[in-house]
Amino acid sequence: MPYATADQFRMFIRHSDPFTQEETAQAEFFIDLAGACIEEATGQPLEQSTDTVLLDGTGASKLVLPRWPVTAVSAVTILNDDADDEPLTEGADHDYTWSAAGNLTRRNGCWPEGDRNISAEVTAGFTTIPPSLTRVALRLCVAPWANPNNLASETLGDLSRSYNTATDIGMELSSSDRKLVTAYKARTQG
């Protein structure tokens, strides 16, 4: 799932004619790079996927899952050295519960301490990228589109143009973008 479509980018830059096939491919490439830039800042992929993660047991009743928002936890197993792994049952009256915020709570007890001793199959991420992140991705694509040679300035006869090095050269998050993206940062045990 891309952060935006080439046609959304075309409208964002107010390009009135439909993109050519080459322009569409270039726009899609920039959108992919913008998504990678955002995910680098968040520390987590934001597209929904189901993954098996290994967690470190803390001896506490709560664990923080590495990705969020969580939409499902389909299996949790305590991994024992003697190969007698212990599958757990979900539910308030059973072994564990989970929250969309990414908390995995052991009911009536604590998670055993140890490195990578808990396995969880977790579905997390967004089915649709939030519009605020689509806006950031589209804005990130403008700089390489409008200034493909990463020039700080250029002069052509009587015409002189200077680019804002903070936002018009390369693909960098602005300070306001970083602030917005922080709301989607991966959460860790702390």
Side-chain angles (χ1 to χ4, degrees):
M1 161 189 58
Y3 278 70
T5 65
D7 199 50
Q8 286 173 316
F9 179 63
R10 181 189 64 76
M11 290 185 294
F12 188 77
I13 62 172
R14 296 186 173 119
H15 192 281
S16 57
D17 296 326
F19 277 166
T20 64
Q21 189 173 359
E22 183 178 331
E23 288 171 328
T24 298
Q26 188 175 29
E28 289 170 349
F29 175 68
F30 289 154
I31 291 165
D32 287 345
L33 291 178
C37 186
I38 291 168
E39 290 182 1
E40 181 180 291
T42 63
Q44 69 168 339
L46 297 176
E47 181 177 358
Q48 188 174 77
S49 66
T50 300
D51 303 291
T52 299
V53 296
L54 293 177
L55 305 166
D56 295 341
T58 60
S61 63
K62 288 193 185 291
L63 293 177
V64 177
L65 295 168
R67 291 189 56 212
W68 71 277
V70 176
T71 56
V73 176
S74 54
V76 175
T77 304
I78 295 174
L79 306 175
N80 294 311
D81 291 335
D82 59 10
D84 247 351
D85 295 341
E86 180 184 346
L88 302 180
T89 305
E90 178 191 353
D93 295 332
H94 297 286
D95 299 317
Y96 71 93
T97 57
W98 58 272
S99 71
N103 292 315
L104 191 62
T105 303
R106 184 76 191 261
R107 307 302 296 180
N108 303 314
C110 295
W111 296 105
E113 288 188 52
D115 294 338
R116 300 168 55 93
N117 64 340
I118 300 160
S119 172
E121 187 171 314
V122 180
T123 302
F126 295 93
T127 55
T128 303
I129 293 296
S132 58
L133 295 179
T134 296
R135 180 188 50 81
V136 170
L138 291 171
R139 194 201 56 74
L140 285 172
C141 294
V142 171
W145 186 272
N147 185 8
N149 295 323
N150 288 332
L151 300 174
S153 65
E154 62 181 326
T155 303
L156 299 168
D158 291 342
L159 175 66
S160 179
R161 179 183 300 174
S162 294
Y163 296 99
N164 178 339
T165 56
T167 58
D168 296 336
I169 297 179
M171 197 175 266
E172 295 293 327
L173 292 170
S174 69
S175 58
S176 61
D177 290 340
R178 285 195 181 284
K179 190 174 186 178
L180 184 144
V181 167
T182 297
Y184 299 93
K185 279 186 84 78
R187 298 177 179 145
T188 58
Q189 199 74 33

